[in-house]
Amino acid sequence: MAGTVSKIIHFHDGEEFIDDIDFALERFSYLASKYGHNPVEGIVLWDSIAVRDEEGIKLFRVGEFPYFRGTLKLDLETLRVMERYLDELESRWDELSVEEINYFVEMLNEALGEERVYYDAYSLGLDRNTAYIIINLVALNYLEGVLDGKDREIFEEAVEVLLKYL
C-alpha cells in the first residue's frame, strides 16, 4: 500500500480509546464522503474477531457476540457452536490474552469444521490494550491541502484525536 504507514497503538482505557477512535473515524468518513479520501484505511483492535457468514465478513469484539448474533446469516447449529466458544471467551474477559483468543478461535474453527472465524491481532503482534492502525499519508496530506472553514475544523479535531495515541 503505497503512501500508508502502519502503527501499533497502546492505550490504557479501552472504552475511552473506542470513543476517541469512533469520534475520529466519523469525522474522516464525513470528509471522505465529500472529498473522496479517508486517511484511516483500517484498524484492528486486540480483541477484534471477524466472522464469515452468507453475506461476507462481519467484525466484532470479544464480548459483543450476543449483540451481533441477530445480524449473522448462519444456520442455527453453527450459531450454537460459536456461542458456546465465544461465551467461554467472554466469561474470562479480565484475564484473556491474545494467545488465548487465538487458541479459542482455532478450536472454534476446528469444531465448525471450516475456517469461518478470523483473528488477526495475534499475527499482527498485538497485546491486550493495543490496536493496529493503517493511515494513508497521501489522503491525509491531500485533505490538509484542500480543506478550509468548517471542514478544516472537523479535520483538525480528528487528527488531534489520532495524535493523542500516535
Side-chain angles (χ1 to χ4, degrees):
M1 292 183 268
T4 63
V5 63
S6 303
K7 176 143 179 60
I8 294 177
I9 298 172
H10 301 272
F11 52 88
H12 299 288
D13 182 337
E15 295 312 310
E16 178 185 355
F17 177 75
I18 296 297
D19 290 344
D20 285 347
I21 291 300
D22 282 346
F23 176 88
L25 292 177
E26 285 174 12
R27 278 144 185 79
F28 285 136
S29 292
Y30 162 76
L31 294 171
S33 72
K34 287 181 74 173
Y35 300 94
H37 297 274
N38 192 334
V40 178
E41 290 193 351
I43 187 161
V44 176
L45 295 169
W46 75 276
D47 60 351
S48 296
I49 293 178
V51 177
R52 180 178 43 83
D53 69 1
E54 296 170 6
E55 296 175 338
I57 304 284
K58 295 179 180 166
L59 186 68
F60 60 97
R61 296 176 66 204
V62 171
E64 292 181 340
F65 185 68
Y67 306 111
F68 283 80
R69 189 173 177 205
T71 64
L72 291 172
K73 304 291 188 232
L74 295 169
D75 63 82
L76 190 55
E77 182 56 31
T78 300
L79 285 171
R80 284 185 183 149
V81 170
M82 290 178 65
E83 186 172 34
R84 204 169 47 244
Y85 281 85
L86 296 175
D87 281 350
E88 175 67 21
L89 270 177
E90 185 176 345
S91 73
R92 300 181 53 204
W93 173 252
D94 291 333
E95 62 195 48
L96 273 180
S97 69
V98 173
E99 291 79 12
E100 289 172 307
I101 297 172
N102 190 62
Y103 177 71
F104 268 90
V105 168
E106 287 174 356
M107 286 188 341
L108 173 56
N109 283 328
E110 190 173 309
L112 293 171
E114 64 179 320
E115 190 172 4
R116 180 170 293 280
V117 182
Y118 308 95
Y119 181 64
D120 292 330
Y122 179 75
S123 61
L124 291 170
L126 299 183
D127 290 319
R128 189 175 189 93
N129 293 331
T130 60
Y132 181 84
I133 190 166
I134 302 169
I135 298 174
N136 185 320
L137 298 176
V138 174
L140 193 66
N141 189 39
Y142 172 80
L143 290 174
E144 171 74 22
V146 300
L147 298 176
D148 59 9
K150 183 66 175 163
D151 287 348
R152 173 156 295 286
E153 289 176 33
I154 291 169
F155 174 76
E156 289 175 356
E157 289 172 344
V159 170
E160 184 177 327
V161 169
L162 279 184
L163 289 176
K164 178 178 172 181
Y165 296 99
L166 298 175

